[in-house]
Structures are given as structure tokens and as C-alpha cells.
Amino acid sequence: MSDYNIDELIALGQRIIEQAKKAGVDVAEAVVSEGAHLSAKVRLGEPELVEEAGSRSVGLRVMCGQQVAVTYTSDLSDAGLTRFIEDALELARLSQPDAFAGPPDQDLLSVRQDHPDLDLFDSEVNAIDAKRALEMAKLAERAALKSDKRLVNSEGATVSRQSGASALVTSGGFAGGNFGTYASIYVNPVADDTDGKKRSGSYWSARRHLSELEDPEAVGVEAARRTLAKLGARKLATQQVPVIFDPDAGRSMLSLLAGCITGGAVWRKASYLADREGSTIASELVTVVDDPLLPRGPGSRPFDGEGLLSRRHVVVDRGQLKTFLLDSYSARKLGRASTANASRGSGGGVSASTTNFVLQAGDVDPEALISSTDRALYVTNMMGYGFTGITGDFSRGASGFWIEGGERAFPVEEVTISENLDQILKGIDRIANDEDLRTSTCTPTFRVSRMTVAGG
Amino acid sequence: MSTSSRYRAPFADSGPTPIDQAIATRLLSLALSKGGDYADLFFEYHAGGSYSLDEGILKAAGRSVTMGLGVRVMKGDATGYAYVQDLTPEAMAGAARTAAQIADGGGSVDPIAFEAAEVPSRYQSADLTLDAPGQDKRELLLRADRAARDEDPRVIRVEASLNEEVREILIASSDGRFVRDRQPLMRFGVRVIAQDGKRRQSGNSGGGGRLSLDYFSELSPEWHASEAVRHAIIMLDACESPAGEMEVVLAPGDSGILLHEAVGHGLEADFNRKGTSNYTDCIGRPVASELCTVVDDATLAGSRGSINVDDEGHAPESALLIDKGVLVGYMHDRHSARHFETRPSGNGRRESFQAHPMPRMTNTLLLPGPHDPEEVLRSVKRGVYARKFGGGQVDISNGNFVFSLTEGYLIEDGKLTSPLKGVNLIGNGPDVMRKVTMAGNDMQTSDGIWTCGKEGQSVPVGVGCPTVKISGMTVGGTQAG
């Protein structure tokens, strides 16, 4: 059912592990990755870029006692691999013993028969060739541009597909593999505004299975609608008002929370939530789940980056912080057990991370949420990087719409929104039901009762 | 070039599988076999090292080696791109055939006459940090750790890192370029967390460039540690930032990152070729205050953004972009240069062989102005002084940008008073450039820490500017009024 031969990747991983052990390391863990991608971009009806490639690489983490090193290479020749293992050994001897370093307990490792099939691969995605991708992109862009004559230009429409497989093999006895596909379509029209500014807007759809991807023309029409809606954008006076986040802006907010509840930030005390487990950190409307087992989920995986069987965690339950998400290193640092949230980069390094991290939907339609709001800033885009995890201070540039009497009154740009993340999460007073699992971290539309909006 | 390095591309002249002009000609012919107008080959070998210190020990060391070939074929405005990691003759030919598909005709290819290219020498690549003993690099990190802890008892955490790389490239094009370059890069950084009672804040310092470990004889690990501690301790007393429109003074050096976002990206010619930039069709027009002269200068010795040749094989110089407020030029890659019927400015850069080139900045500088920096500060009744920047972002289409400050101060009656936390600066590029009302005579370039992202591709860049006063900018803080 897939074009990938997991057994072959595992065999290569096993060879590397054995060679590393022979060279003198105590622990070796190899991740062997293979992937292919195609990307086709059309601009103003003409093909602009077709990109196609495949790749294969190996990442290795080794330990000599409790000295750790990580190496990565795409040079899979015999000489390249030998050199790669020598480098790992040399670097492990250079690093200094870390009392908390080590592989996960052997009896926690999962076995291949227990790995669930999460339906992450779609051969239809893999079958998209350059010609078909260009056609889809053309359709999408044409649908956008013909929907209004003010759409005079375009940054183009892009259709991409990627697929990949990876295998993890460890000297502790784990061997497993995973593979999947991901297809996306992105449209970015540009309109001329009356003040001489250009207005660029976009919309996109992404799914693991082609049949679930939104129709190219629908994506184009929605991109056009979003671009036109920005015409005439202006600043706001500085004030404190409710703020509504759409799913794109909401995702950015939720990813800030993700960064504050995963292992490294917690044991380093680089998170304002480091000492808050078991306490109220958000309004009682807020439930956030980390679920690696969602069928067809963009962040789904049968086992974690250390070989532990994946499992679902309710991280925030009606406002209460229930658990941090940990790999075995951060778990040891905190004196507890891994939550099976280890993520292994293709480069070989391991850290704790979220999988499908989702703010659970509320019961109201997003339009009804807006129409029930008297005055608010509705944020659709955020810019910049103004967040300090250690204090929770948040301030970013934003654009979107001014809501007056339950209606979109006018588009807004060049403002900043600020508040401490602790206050933001506690201030969530309405959650809509429009969650869309395009990306592994996602939220529905939601409203925060009060933030500072700074404008002219 | 030294040949003693462990890190040499296999495709180098002296390597085990050298790529010569005959091989390049064969691959380019294949790439053009479907009727493309132009093709180029980009061979890249990349070796990287990383050392990270945490909790007083070198916790992890890493190394990576990657290489590959990217083949680009152009037909009109359309680009076909394919890459391979495997540099066997069959795999390279396969990539050339895949990229060729962007054209769907046939055709014969004229023989390619490669010209000898003069490559300048803006960094010395003989003395790679990668070749220096690991113990020496470990000691640099341990020195920073000790110095930071000795500096102040409120320091509760110290993290230090050293990242190093060498990137060896070979570009061969159907219009006759055949150029090699070897680009070293090193970045050192210290981050500390200080705690006083319940208040906790972080501070950082970093630098580097296309340099050897000699860098540390000028700016020692102890110097960076002390700077990071100063930053964290000052921030312990930071107040909530005011919000609203006010005067802003930019400190010299790193503040150039604001210029990079505010005006730099809008002058990359691909956006102007497509008519999607705010600066489209503005050549010859005033776009900034007369105090503003902006250059993109790839020639600075050892700077993080400097390059001898760009990733299309063109040699960049110092390009004048804005002359006393008037827009005089864009930054070009080959594609945009052909569109504007001008010479490629050597700004065609790419993240790696896995990506096609685009117009990108190198070292973007706002040149010094006439004012004494003290005088600039004295002229402000109430405003914000921007000392250290986190990161920023711009929307090219309308020029709107945002920056977050990691170190900023309130200015009251011409003096720096309270440090501020959570400050964002938001503005519009063309608007802010017109509001530059004073420019200091104290231009500085940043130490090498900046990385620029565009369409998912990251490249190292440099920035620089003098003390600059902007007459009005939106400051985003939590304290309304």
C-alpha cells in the first residue's frame, strides 16, 4: 500500500547500530528517513516553478556512558557512514557526562505488532504528477482572480505533495517505522487598495488524504474573499477590548502554550507554567488535548521518538493544567515518567514535543460568536515574535477586522495586541465549533474578554 | 585554500570525484534537451558542527555532513528544479532530466564556453573552526559559563552554544559561469536567566561571522557572558511598556534589523518584477527621508552576510539602494535582472542545494548621518529607546512590519529611565523611512547573529545602522495611554 519499504530502512538502521556498537559506543539510536516531494506553482496562469526531488538521510544519537553526541548525514556511501560513526564517537567522548542522559527503560519500549495503523498514507497523493499539480494550481488561481476585478495581481497558487517514511532502530531493542503523505494547496491573490498600498491575502487547505483536501476552486474563491476583505484597512486607537482569534491566529496562540508545557521549558524553568501543574491556568471553557492517535492526523504517529507507544493526554481539562508533556530525559529531570512525547528530529536529536495539539471545540458557530459580540478586534493575522515564555508576556502585531454591533465594521492593520498569556487563557470566554485539522496544532475561533490593542 | 581540512567537498578539484567542466557541460546539455533557455548546476557540500553547554557541562555535541546537486532549468519565467543527494553520474543525469521537463519541446544545445572567473577573497577559509580541536571549543563554552556565574549571584542558569559550518559550492551555468567558493561561518551565543525573588528574566549576547576562532581574542567568551548577565539583570527591573504612538530612537548596530524588514525586503527585485511590492515602479522617486542612504554590501571582511559569489555564480559588490532618500536600485538575481534589463547584483542566494535562488540581502546598512548620538537622545521628551531586538517580520505587499525588543528603555526628557518589557514596534516601512528625522554619526555593524527567512529559506545576513530617530511609531505595550 505504500511505496516505502520500512523493512529496508530498519535493516539500514540496524547495520548502523551494530557498526556503532562495534566502534565502542554503549548506546546507539538511528533514525533513517526517506522522502519525496513535488511542488508546482502557477502565477497569473503560467507555470512559475516545478520542483521535484527525493532524499534519504540518517540521524544518529550515541552515548558513551552518559556522554551524548548526535550526528547526521545524507552521505550513505560506506565511507560516508564509517566517517559518520567515527564522528559520533569522537564527539561523545568530547561531551561531558550528564547524570540524566540515557535511553528509555527497555521494558517501556513498544513492539512493532502493537503499532496502530493511523491511515496516514494516501497513494492518491503520491500519484499527483507535475502536470496534475499545475492544473490544480491554475484552477485555484483562476477561481480567485476571476471573482473580482480589483484582484489585479497574484503571488501565485502552489500545490505541493510530500511523502516520507522513517524508521527508528535502537540498541535497546526497538525497531519500528512510520510513513505518510501530506498534500496542500495555497492561493495568494493581491489587490490594489485606494491608498496605493497592495493588499495580499491567502487561504490554504492541507490534508494527509487527497479526497479530504478542499476543492482547488473553493480554496481560490476563499483566498479572494479574504484578500478583498482587507481593502481599506486602517489603524485603531489604543484601547482595551475583547479580541477574537480566528483558527489561523488561534493556532499561533496555542503553540505558545505548547512551548510552555513541554519538557525542556519545564525542567529549565523557562516557562511561566513550570510550577503550575494541577492548578487553574485557563478559563473553564478550555480543554486542550494532545492526541497522537487521531486517524489521518497531521501530527499522528504510532510510537514516539524513543520507541514508546503513543498515547492521548488531556493536557488542560476545563482550565486545569493536568500534565506536562515529556520525553525520557525531561522526565528524569523532573523525577517522573515519560509521557511518550519524545520527538526525534531527522538530525537525530531528541526533545519533548506535542503531536496533534488541539483546543477542543465549543458549541457555537463562529459567525454566531461574532454576531454576539458588541465591540472587539477580530484577529486573522499576526506578525512578529513577541513572546517571553519565562514570564508569559505576549505582544505581537495583528491585523483583522473591527467588530461593532456584531458585524465586521472595517478591516484593521498595523496594531499590536498585548497581554500576559496567563491572562489571555483565563480570559477565554467563548469558543466556536470550527476546528480544522490542517496542521498538528489547531484551534477553533475563540474570544478573549480583554486585551490591550495599541494603534495610532 | 588549505588542503589539510577534514572537510572538503568530494566534487572539489582535489576531491575524490571532482566535477570538471566536461561533466558540467554534459549535465547542462541534458538539462536543456527539452528546449529550456537557460540551465545551471549548483553543487553544495555542507559540514556543520554544534556544541551546547547547559547546567555547567557540554551536554551535547553534534555534527552533520550533507551534500547534493540542484539543477535549475528556465523557460521564459518558468523554472524547473530538481535535486539529488547522490552524486553518482546516473543520479545527477536523472535530476537534469527531471528539471528539463519544465520545457516540453526539444532542441540542440550550443557548446558551452566557460569563462574564467575572478573570485574575491572576503573571508579566509583556510583556518576553519571545524578543524580546530573540539577541546578548544568546549573550553570557550565553559569559560562563558564560569564568567556568567561569577558575574552575579542572581544568575540561575547559563546556556552557551557554538555553531560552525563550512559550505563549499560549485556553480556551472549554460551562459558560461563555472565558479567555486568555500564559505565558513561561526556563531557563538550565551543566554542567562537571572532571578530575584519571584522575578525571572533572561539576557543574551552573541556574535560571530565568516571567521576563525581568532574572533574570541577580540570578543572573549567572558565579554559575551558579562553582556548577557548585564541584559538579564537590567530586565529584572523592567516595567510594563506604554502603548501608543511615540518617538522611537534606535541604538546603533543591531537596530539595522528594523531597516532590513522595513525597507530591505521590499527592494528585493522579485517582488518588484511581479508588481507585488510597495516599492514597485518607484525607482527615481523619494521613498525615505533625505537622511537615509541604504546599501547592500556583500564585501565586508568576515561579516556573516558577506559572500564572494552568490549562489548563481555572480560576484556582488556594494549596491546602492537608496541615495539620500531616493530609490536608485533593487537587489537582483539573474531572473529579475533580465526582467529589468540590468546586471545581476549578486543577490541570488539560496538556503541549500534543495532550494532555488531568490534575490536576498547580504549586509544591509543605513549609512551614518550628521548628528551627535547624544543630541539625538536629548531631543526626545518622551519615547522609547530600542537597544536589543528579538525578531521581526514584514508583509511585503503593504510594507507593514513588526519587531519585538528584548531590551528597550523609556526616554523621558532626553534621558533613558526605566527598562521596558514586552515592547513591540509596529509600523509601515515607507512611512517609517520618511519619519527618520535624525541620523547619528556613529554607524555600527551588528556582530554576526542574524538569519533571514523568506519563503521558508533561511540565509545568514548582516545589518548595520547609526543611532536613528523616528518621529512616530506605534509602540505595543500593555499600558494604554
Side-chain angles (χ1 to χ4, degrees):
Chain A
M1 78 184 256
S2 113
D3 305 344
Y4 294 106
N5 186 338
I6 296 288
D7 291 334
E8 193 189 308
L9 300 183
I10 289 177
L12 176 56
Q14 240 135 16
R15 233 176 67 211
I16 291 165
I17 297 299
E18 277 154 30
Q19 208 175 329
K21 293 273 287 183
K22 214 174 282 171
V25 306
D26 300 313
V27 174
E29 303 164 327
V31 57
V32 184
S33 311
E34 185 177 356
H37 89 104
L38 168 76
S39 171
K41 181 174 181 186
V42 165
R43 184 173 166 266
L44 299 176
E46 296 297 325
E48 181 167 275
L49 178 69
V50 173
E51 194 174 289
E52 200 167 354
S55 58
R56 208 170 206 204
S57 63
V58 190
L60 179 67
R61 179 170 77 160
V62 302
M63 300 180 199
C64 292
Q66 289 181 307
Q67 295 166 282
V68 184
V70 170
T71 54
Y72 171 81
T73 190
S74 64
D75 180 0
L76 303 186
S77 64
D78 286 345
L81 288 176
T82 299
R83 167 66 184 286
F84 164 72
I85 289 162
E86 283 169 4
D87 274 358
L89 189 66
E90 176 202 320
L91 291 172
R93 290 183 173 150
L94 185 69
S95 70
Q96 296 170 302
D98 178 352
F100 296 89
D105 285 343
Q106 230 158 324
D107 51 7
L108 293 178
L109 298 176
S110 59
V111 291
R112 238 177 129 184
Q113 303 83 277
D114 292 344
H115 296 158
D117 177 5
L118 299 170
D119 197 14
L120 308 179
F121 184 88
D122 178 15
S123 52
E124 302 251 324
V125 168
N126 252 14
I128 300 173
D129 61 7
K131 188 160 165 272
R132 170 111 187 269
L134 285 169
E135 274 165 17
M136 288 167 69
K138 257 183 211 171
L139 272 177
E141 193 199 39
R142 193 186 309 142
L145 297 185
K146 79 175 186 200
S147 65
D148 195 291
K149 65 178 189 306
R150 287 169 295 174
L151 294 170
V152 292
N153 205 339
S154 170
E155 277 282 3
T158 304
V159 169
S160 305
R161 65 144 159 90
Q162 36 182 321
S163 68
S166 70
L168 174 67
V169 182
T170 74
S171 56
F174 177 84
N178 188 21
F179 54 92
T181 49
Y182 194 64
S184 69
I185 179 162
Y186 172 81
V187 187
N188 185 182
V190 177
D192 272 338
D193 210 338
T194 47
D195 59 359
K197 281 186 179 178
K198 313 274 180 194
R199 298 289 172 190
S200 166
S202 62
Y203 183 66
W204 54 283
S205 172
R207 280 292 185 271
R208 284 193 175 273
H209 283 247
L210 188 61
S211 61
E212 293 184 3
L213 195 68
E214 284 177 59
D215 175 60
E217 289 179 295
V219 174
V221 168
E222 179 60 14
R225 192 190 69 74
R226 289 175 182 234
T227 306
L228 292 168
K230 293 182 169 185
L231 291 173
R234 55 197 212 235
K235 291 193 196 184
L236 286 175
T238 299
Q239 57 192 301
Q240 293 199 320
V241 284
V243 173
I244 300 170
F245 291 90
D246 86 346
D248 279 323
R251 177 173 58 250
S252 306
M253 299 306 293
L254 193 65
S255 65
L256 301 179
L257 175 66
C260 290
I261 53 95
T262 37
V266 179
W267 71 256
R268 286 190 171 88
K269 297 210 184 290
S271 160
Y272 77 101
L273 294 173
D275 305 317
R276 299 268 299 274
E277 201 178 28
S279 73
T280 300
I281 65 147
S283 92
E284 61 178 21
L285 299 177
V286 175
T287 293
V288 181
V289 174
D290 186 68
D291 189 354
L293 301 173
L294 289 177
R296 302 189 176 187
S300 297
R301 48 165 172 66
F303 56 89
D304 86 341
E306 292 180 303
L308 277 61
L309 200 62
S310 288
R311 50 188 202 268
R312 178 178 187 270
H313 295 281
V314 178
V315 176
V316 180
D317 185 11
R318 288 163 293 166
Q320 294 250 316
L321 178 59
K322 289 297 187 191
T323 183
F324 296 123
L325 300 177
L326 310 173
D327 61 345
S328 55
Y329 182 82
S330 56
R332 266 182 232 118
K333 279 295 221 184
L334 295 167
R336 54 174 88 181
S338 169
T339 60
N341 279 88
S343 160
R344 188 175 297 258
S346 57
V350 177
S351 60
S353 80
T354 54
T355 62
N356 296 300
F357 194 62
V358 181
L359 171 63
Q360 302 298 296
D363 53 3
V364 58
D365 184 76
E367 286 306 315
L369 190 157
I370 291 166
S371 63
S372 69
T373 304
D374 183 31
R375 299 170 74 244
L377 175 64
Y378 174 57
V379 177
T380 55
N381 288 88
M382 292 201 288
M383 286 173 74
Y385 312 96
F387 179 66
T388 312
I390 198 170
T391 56
D393 289 334
F394 168 86
S395 173
R396 288 184 78 184
S399 57
F401 300 90
W402 178 248
I403 304 295
E404 186 82 51
E407 308 266 336
R408 289 175 180 80
F410 55 86
V412 173
E413 66 170 356
E414 264 191 87
V415 299
T416 70
I417 51 173
S418 318
E419 187 49 86
N420 189 279
L421 185 59
D422 197 34
Q423 298 305 314
I424 294 172
L425 295 174
K426 286 176 177 163
I428 293 178
D429 63 2
R430 206 80 202 265
I431 301 177
N433 58 8
D434 56 340
E435 71 175 40
D436 174 10
L437 210 64
R438 290 188 290 183
T439 51
S440 55
T441 298
C442 80
T443 73
T445 299
F446 63 89
R447 186 177 67 197
V448 174
S449 61
R450 199 174 172 80
M451 291 181 75
T452 301
V453 175
Chain B
M1 276 186 200
S2 152
T3 50
S4 64
S5 174
R6 288 171 69 181
Y7 301 95
R8 289 311 308 234
F11 54 78
D13 271 337
S14 55
T17 51
I19 299 291
D20 59 16
Q21 296 189 348
I23 296 172
T25 300
R26 275 201 300 279
L27 289 170
L28 287 167
S29 303
L30 260 182
L32 293 175
S33 61
K34 292 277 184 185
D37 315 322
Y38 167 85
D40 59 22
L41 310 174
F42 179 76
F43 292 89
E44 181 189 48
Y45 166 88
H46 182 280
S50 67
Y51 300 84
S52 53
L53 175 140
D54 190 7
E55 301 186 296
I57 57 170
L58 180 71
K59 254 193 200 178
R63 193 169 294 155
S64 65
V65 174
T66 53
M67 63 181 154
L69 160 67
V71 183
R72 176 170 65 153
V73 178
M74 300 201 64
K75 173 77 179 173
D77 278 338
T79 302
Y81 197 81
Y83 63 83
V84 281
Q85 292 168 326
D86 184 4
L87 297 185
T88 57
E90 308 76 56
M92 293 192 294
R97 279 192 209 96
T98 303
Q101 307 284 336
I102 195 73
D104 53 9
S108 60
V109 183
D110 295 334
I112 297 163
F114 290 111
E115 296 160 27
E118 279 288 308
V119 176
S121 181
R122 293 165 181 166
Y123 27 83
Q124 50 97 357
S125 59
D127 202 6
L128 292 182
T129 64
L130 268 165
D131 286 322
Q135 291 85 337
D136 294 2
K137 290 174 266 195
R138 182 174 67 191
E139 185 54 24
L140 291 167
L141 297 176
L142 290 168
R143 279 169 58 191
D145 181 69
R146 284 193 296 267
R149 288 174 198 282
D150 290 348
E151 182 94 9
D152 194 296
R154 288 169 287 181
V155 171
I156 57 165
R157 294 199 65 80
V158 181
E159 292 163 23
S161 63
L162 188 134
N163 289 286
E164 54 184 352
E165 64 175 67
V166 66
R167 181 183 191 244
E168 197 164 334
I169 58 176
L170 163 63
I171 300 116
S173 72
S174 63
D175 61 3
R177 270 162 297 122
F178 190 91
V179 192
R180 295 178 194 271
D181 193 27
R182 195 158 181 246
Q183 304 168 338
L185 191 65
M186 184 270 295
R187 188 187 192 285
F188 180 78
V190 183
R191 176 171 182 264
V192 306
I193 296 179
Q195 183 166 353
D196 193 354
K198 287 210 145 179
R199 290 170 302 164
R200 222 186 282 149
Q201 283 287 355
S202 68
N204 58 64
S205 179
R210 302 196 184 280
L211 300 162
S212 70
L213 291 180
D214 291 345
Y215 167 83
F216 294 99
S217 51
E218 289 185 28
L219 281 179
S220 65
E222 288 80 7
W223 185 89
H224 280 294
S226 168
E227 168 59 17
V229 172
R230 180 200 64 77
H231 183 198
I233 297 294
I234 282 202
M235 291 305 290
L236 282 174
D237 292 322
C239 305
E240 300 286 338
S241 167
E245 173 108 359
M246 58 191 77
E247 290 185 326
V248 172
V249 176
L250 307 176
D254 279 327
S255 305
I257 194 65
L258 188 134
L259 171 88
H260 169 108
E261 297 291 346
V263 65
H265 280 295
L267 299 182
E268 291 167 340
D270 47 347
F271 299 116
N272 294 289
R273 174 177 66 78
K274 299 181 213 169
T276 55
S277 162
N278 232 4
Y279 291 102
T280 300
D281 300 330
C282 284
I283 296 270
R285 291 202 214 153
V287 296
S289 123
E290 287 179 6
L291 292 166
C292 297
T293 292
V294 178
V295 298
D296 187 74
D297 186 350
T299 70
L300 304 177
S303 175
R304 185 169 166 89
S306 296
I307 43 177
N308 292 330
V309 294
D310 72 1
D311 298 328
E312 299 182 303
H314 296 107
E317 299 294 336
S318 176
L320 185 61
L321 304 174
I322 294 177
D323 186 15
K324 298 189 187 76
V326 176
L327 180 63
V328 295
Y330 298 130
M331 287 167 278
H332 290 285
D333 63 1
R334 178 188 175 276
H335 188 188
S336 70
R338 282 172 68 91
H339 176 87
F340 286 100
E341 296 177 344
T342 182
R343 225 169 53 87
S345 59
N347 288 89
R349 303 181 67 190
R350 49 181 136 195
E351 181 176 83
S352 75
F353 69 91
Q354 304 189 0
H356 62 281
M358 292 184 278
R360 300 298 295 265
M361 286 173 259
T362 62
N363 303 296
T364 312
L365 314 173
L366 177 66
L367 299 184
H371 300 105
D372 172 4
E374 288 293 318
E375 179 194 347
V376 177
L377 207 55
R378 274 200 306 271
S379 73
V380 178
K381 180 124 187 67
R382 182 178 157 84
V384 165
Y385 184 74
R387 173 94 184 254
K388 274 195 181 181
F389 285 79
Q393 202 181 341
V394 65
D395 178 344
I396 300 299
S397 64
N398 52 35
N400 292 343
F401 66 81
V402 183
F403 273 90
S404 47
L405 297 186
T406 58
E407 186 182 351
Y409 298 85
L410 194 62
I411 310 173
E412 292 172 297
D413 295 323
K415 291 195 185 66
L416 301 190
T417 55
S418 169
L420 300 173
K421 63 179 175 184
V423 189
N424 254 320
L425 300 177
I426 182 160
N428 177 266
D431 182 45
V432 160
M433 295 304 286
R434 287 188 189 96
K435 288 181 175 166
V436 171
T437 51
M438 295 178 94
N441 52 19
D442 56 344
M443 145 88 178
Q444 290 178 24
T445 51
S446 71
D447 202 348
I449 58 170
W450 295 103
T451 296
C452 168
K454 175 175 170 185
E455 293 178 25
Q457 291 195 44
S458 295
V459 298
V461 296
V463 299
C465 71
T467 297
V468 172
K469 176 173 158 183
I470 295 159
S471 61
M473 213 164 153
T474 301
V475 176
T478 46
Q479 302 305 97

